[in-house]
Amino acid sequence: YAEKRVITLRAPALGVPMVVSARVTEPSGAAHTATETVTPGALDLIVESSTRVPSFYRGRALPSAGSAVRLIALASLYTDKGMLVDPKNVIYAWQINGQGSEGGPGQHTLDAIMPLGGPLTVEVTARTQDGSAQQSIAEEIAPADPLNRFYEDNPLHGLAQNALPDTFTLIEDEISIRAEPYFVSRNIFNNAAYEWTINEERVANPNTDPQTLTLRKTGGAGSAQVGFSIRNLSSLLQAAASAFIVYFE
């Protein structure tokens, strides 16, 4: 790399030291050498959401506005000799939406609340106590929109695990439909208000389960828009509302 002031190198594997030397020679012939050992490390950020999804859902629960999240930083820091630093000796400094918080050695978790109307900005730096090794990461955690999905609850076969489409035709004389909220706080059921509507008119639900509604054919052909909403009376911004259209033949 002669005559270059800036070079780009491919880092070796985690924990493998790489020695970099730079030599500068003055016009007078005087030479100066600087040597630095670079040991690659890693820092990962895991986001655990406290929102609710059905037990059969195979995806990840996503955080929504006003919900709680647990942030877990996992650092792999190495000495200049390639030795892994004991995780108990790693110090973490957090920035949550611009607000700083520094934990003691080994304190790699932080609880936060998703803001309203925007993402949660997280910056975390992991360093050794002597500052010889350091890694940083920054992420924006976007809130998901809570929603409901609708499933047929068949008395013989139980609850279907494939959601009904947004529009479908009722072939049988009746169908029981269960609404399953996604991405709302798990404690929403502690103080929840439920509402079913047909063509935007609220309807009484005789079922003991407020999340299940039975639809029956009562006349000729036609269609209806059926909606369901759930909201947390303790946190009004935690709510989900969705609808579907059913055709009768």
Side-chain angles (χ1 to χ4, degrees):
Y1 300 97
E3 307 300 329
K4 291 188 176 182
R5 297 182 61 190
V6 178
I7 63 173
T8 300
L9 301 174
R10 182 181 296 276
L14 287 177
V16 177
M18 179 174 64
V19 179
V20 181
S21 296
R23 179 183 174 88
V24 178
T25 303
E26 299 182 21
S28 64
H32 307 274
T33 302
T35 300
E36 186 74 28
T37 299
V38 179
T39 308
L43 179 59
D44 295 316
L45 181 64
I46 298 173
V47 180
E48 290 186 349
S49 173
S50 65
T51 56
R52 184 254 185 208
V53 292
S55 59
F56 55 80
Y57 180 62
R58 295 183 180 179
R60 184 168 63 94
L62 302 176
S64 56
S67 68
V69 292
R70 169 158 289 187
L71 308 170
I72 305 171
L74 299 177
S76 297
L77 303 182
Y78 296 85
T79 68
D80 58 4
K81 297 185 182 301
M83 300 296 294
L84 181 65
V85 176
D86 189 334
K88 296 179 181 178
N89 295 327
V90 178
I91 296 175
Y92 294 85
W94 298 83
Q95 287 276 339
I96 306 297
N97 285 347
Q99 300 295 317
S101 173
E102 181 159 332
Q107 296 181 1
H108 65 291
T109 64
L110 188 71
D111 294 327
I113 299 296
M114 291 291 295
L116 308 176
L120 181 72
T121 302
V122 180
E123 298 179 39
V124 58
T125 297
R127 61 176 175 83
T128 56
Q129 297 189 47
D130 61 3
S132 60
Q134 176 176 302
Q135 291 287 327
S136 297
I137 190 172
E139 285 192 15
E140 278 195 351
I141 303 169
D145 293 326
L147 55 88
N148 301 303
R149 288 184 176 142
F150 301 96
Y151 300 83
E152 181 180 1
D153 193 358
N154 188 288
L156 295 178
H157 303 104
L159 185 66
Q161 296 190 7
N162 293 321
L164 292 167
D166 294 337
T167 301
F168 67 94
T169 299
L170 180 59
I171 305 300
E172 306 295 335
D173 290 335
E174 67 176 40
I175 184 173
S176 290
I177 294 176
R178 179 176 174 83
E180 288 286 355
Y182 283 71
F183 314 139
V184 294
S185 292
R186 293 173 186 161
N187 62 5
I188 192 171
F189 301 106
N190 296 338
N191 192 18
Y194 307 85
E195 183 178 272
W196 285 94
T197 61
I198 295 180
N199 294 330
E200 300 185 351
E201 295 289 334
R202 184 174 182 177
V203 295
N205 184 10
N207 290 331
T208 56
D209 179 2
Q211 292 175 237
T212 301
L213 182 72
T214 301
L215 299 176
R216 296 182 176 88
K217 292 181 180 180
T218 57
S223 66
Q225 182 188 66
V226 181
F228 173 81
S229 66
I230 180 173
R231 57 191 175 92
N232 189 345
L233 296 177
S234 301
S235 177
L236 297 181
L237 293 175
Q238 277 282 306
S242 303
F244 62 89
I245 295 176
V246 57
Y247 290 93
F248 303 96
E249 293 184 344

